[in-house]
Structure formats: C-alpha cells, structure tokens
Amino acid sequence: HIAINNMEQADQYCQAAVNTGKGSVISYNNRAVMHYILGDLEASLEDLDAASSFGRFQNMVASNLQIVN
C-alpha cells in the first residue's frame, strides 16, 4: 500500500503486523519505512531499533538506518 500511496491502509496493515504479538524484523522494518515516508523520523528510528534486535536481515535494517539518519 505504500507503493501505491495508500498511506491510511499501509498504516493499518503495518500497525496490525507489529501489534499481533508476533512482530518480526520485517514488520518493524516496513513500519519504519512507512514512518519515514510520512516524515516521522523518530518513530522510524524506534522501529529500526526494534528491528535490529531480531538479529536477522541486518543488512536491510542497517541500510535503512543509514537512510533515516
């Protein structure tokens, strides 16, 4: 939904993916990207920090951290 600029739907899906109790590196990373696009850098960094705690897909997370910072 981010790709087609449907940010309201993207927000709903990203929030649901993280809040299921089974949040993953991918769900936190995706929500971080959404926050970045919306201009909320603090929330983006918080989600990338959470994503980095999973220990998987760290190249992707590190690349996104470079963009946000």
Side-chain angles (χ1 to χ4, degrees), residues 1 5-6 9 21-23 27 32 34 37 40-41 44 47 63:
H1 292 278
N5 203 29
N6 184 344
Q9 193 67 53
K22 297 180 182 180
S27 61
M34 181 200 66
I37 290 169
D40 189 347
L41 301 183
S44 182
D47 280 345
S63 293

Side-chain angles (χ1 to χ4, degrees), residues 2 11 15-16 24 27-28 34 46 50 61 69:
I2 291 172
D11 181 52
Q15 300 297 349
S24 68
S27 61
Y28 278 100
M34 181 200 66
E46 288 173 7
V61 174
N69 282 319

